[in-house]
Amino acid sequence: MRLVRRDWVLGATVAALMLSGCATDEYSNIETGSVGEPLGVLGGSPSAEDVAQGRKFFGAGSYGLAEQHFRRAVEANPNSVSAWVGLAAYYDQLKRYDLADKAYQRALSLHGRQPLLLNNYGYHYLLRGNKGAARKILREAERKAPDDPAIQHNLALLENWSYADQFDGVPEKPRKFDRR
């Protein structure tokens, strides 16, 4: 019981770090339109407001409300990297790794392989139990930002991660997803 509670607290902390880590990076406050022009800082577009609300609800553990805001942000601005990352984190919480993977792929296609985005994507693979993919992506993030504490934290988690602990000893069957 104690191990499960520790893992739950650790998971919740890391999830909060994932989203709070996004709050300090270069793509969290500025949204980009379809031709690359800035749409404004937080509060300056419906998408940005929904991303801020999604983060607030995600941090409070209200994942359903967070998902509504992230989805609305993606619909308002399909080029919002922050909205896609928030939606991906939500899907990770549901263990819908197939949908999270699609959302991360969209964010990566929009923003490139930036260190904090790679950090979140690496953590996504850690949650899936794919330590090899997680290590590869987190090492790439580390090469790009060697002193970033969030990346270092996830690398330390990777080395001490027990997949069985995350699922109370019974791992889920991997889900197949359509690669359209």
Side-chain angles (χ1 to χ4, degrees):
M1 177 69 171
R2 183 179 177 158
L3 182 60
V4 172
R5 183 177 299 158
R6 178 185 58 89
D7 287 344
W8 181 87
V9 170
L10 180 61
T13 302
V14 171
L17 281 172
M18 282 173 49
L19 285 179
S20 67
C22 294
T24 61
D25 69 293
E26 68 275 10
Y27 58 82
S28 64
N29 292 331
I30 297 178
E31 306 262 280
T32 313
S34 59
V35 293
E37 74 278 35
L39 293 177
V41 294
L42 282 178
S45 73
S47 175
E49 291 170 14
D50 276 318
V51 169
Q53 288 298 309
R55 284 186 179 145
K56 180 180 112 181
F57 285 120
F58 191 96
S62 298
Y63 302 117
L65 291 171
E67 185 269 343
Q68 288 176 8
H69 285 281
F70 290 132
R71 180 166 304 287
R72 198 173 338 173
V74 162
E75 289 168 358
N77 181 4
N79 293 324
S80 171
V81 175
S82 299
W84 284 109
V85 169
L87 198 55
Y90 162 75
Y91 289 137
D92 276 338
Q93 285 296 310
L94 291 183
K95 298 180 184 162
R96 286 301 312 266
Y97 303 123
D98 55 333
L99 297 175
D101 199 48
K102 289 179 182 182
Y104 280 120
Q105 287 298 322
R106 177 70 174 148
L108 286 163
S109 74
L110 289 169
H111 196 63
R113 299 182 76 78
Q114 299 301 314
L116 290 176
L117 185 50
L118 288 169
N119 179 60
N120 290 359
Y121 195 41
Y123 184 75
H124 158 76
Y125 275 102
L126 186 59
L127 290 174
R128 291 179 81 156
N130 189 337
K131 289 174 81 172
R135 181 174 289 108
K136 180 180 176 185
I137 294 167
L138 289 170
R139 291 288 180 211
E140 181 182 350
E142 182 185 40
R143 283 190 302 277
K144 293 178 180 217
D147 297 325
D148 187 282
I151 295 169
Q152 294 304 318
H153 181 262
N154 282 345
L155 283 166
L157 275 177
L158 174 67
E159 297 311 318
N160 296 303
W161 188 272
S162 170
Y163 183 72
D165 289 345
Q166 179 188 1
F167 298 103
D168 250 354
V170 183
E172 269 186 62
K173 276 180 107 174
R175 297 180 182 170
K176 294 182 179 180
F177 62 93
D178 187 15
R179 294 183 184 227
R180 290 182 218 177

